[in-house]
């Protein structure tokens, strides 16, 4: 476990999920990405980044289980991305598709690896270029 100052609380995770559920619906995905860029200015990466990643993904998954609506991969990935970047972790939001059978997915990468996903995820999906988020 990491220092609680660095770990997002469950209430914070629920509130972030709510925002990431509502924002794309209210202002659109492009404006949501622009807002995330402004909110996640570059910071020095903390020495306990791996612990922060593990704890944040776990808490978002837990919050998603109690979220009144179904929090899909996009909402969860946006929330994880925002919370990690706000804590200085160099995370990248990725979107990808599989043409046949059609499947779309959103995930977060840190250090070039998908976090909280199957190891072969990037092999089964064609990832869009970095979104600049």
């Amino acid at each position: 476990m990491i220092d609680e100052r660095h770990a997002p609380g469950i209430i914070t995770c629920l509130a972030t999920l709510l925002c990431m559920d509502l924002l794309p619906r209210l202002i659109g995905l492009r404006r949501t990405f622009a807002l995330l860029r402004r909110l996640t200015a570059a910071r020095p990466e903390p020495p306990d980044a791996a612990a922060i990643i593990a704890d944040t993904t776990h808490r978002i998954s837990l919050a998603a289980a109690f979220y009144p609506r179904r929090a899909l991969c996009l909402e969860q990935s946006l929330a994880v991305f925002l919370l990690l970047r706000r804590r200085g972790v160099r995370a990248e939001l990725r979107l990808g598709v599989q043409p046949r059978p059609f499947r779309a997915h959103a995930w977060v990468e840190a250090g070039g690896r998908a976090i909280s996903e199957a190891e072969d995820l990037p092999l089964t999906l064609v990832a869009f270029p970095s979104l600049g988020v």
Side-chain angles (χ1 to χ4, degrees):
M1 222 36 166
I2 62 173
D3 185 347
E4 284 299 314
R5 294 177 306 203
H6 294 105
I10 296 298
I11 300 299
T12 299
C13 290
L14 278 167
T16 305
L17 275 176
L18 175 65
C19 290
M20 295 305 112
D21 186 17
L22 293 177
L23 273 176
R25 296 170 195 272
L26 296 174
I27 66 172
L29 205 50
R30 178 181 290 171
R31 287 184 178 158
T32 300
F33 290 159
L35 177 63
L36 290 179
R37 274 194 295 277
R38 285 194 302 274
L39 291 175
T40 59
R43 295 177 178 196
E45 189 159 66
D48 56 348
I52 292 171
I53 290 168
D55 198 49
T56 301
T57 55
H58 173 74
R59 289 185 185 203
I60 284 291
S61 295
L62 186 61
F66 291 101
Y67 189 66
R69 292 176 35 91
R70 187 169 176 205
L72 299 174
C73 61
L74 180 61
E75 293 87 3
Q76 290 186 47
S77 295
L78 288 169
V80 167
F81 172 78
L82 176 63
L83 292 172
L84 289 178
R85 292 290 295 257
R86 296 287 292 174
R87 284 162 178 75
V89 176
R90 291 186 189 110
E92 187 175 338
L93 180 65
R94 301 300 304 261
L95 300 176
V97 296
Q98 175 180 297
R100 287 193 177 95
F102 181 78
R103 183 180 111 167
H105 190 56
W107 70 94
V108 177
E109 290 184 354
R113 297 184 59 199
I115 57 176
S116 174
E117 298 287 343
E119 289 294 321
D120 64 345
L121 174 71
L123 299 177
T124 61
L125 296 172
V126 177
F128 289 107
S130 176
L131 300 170
V133 189

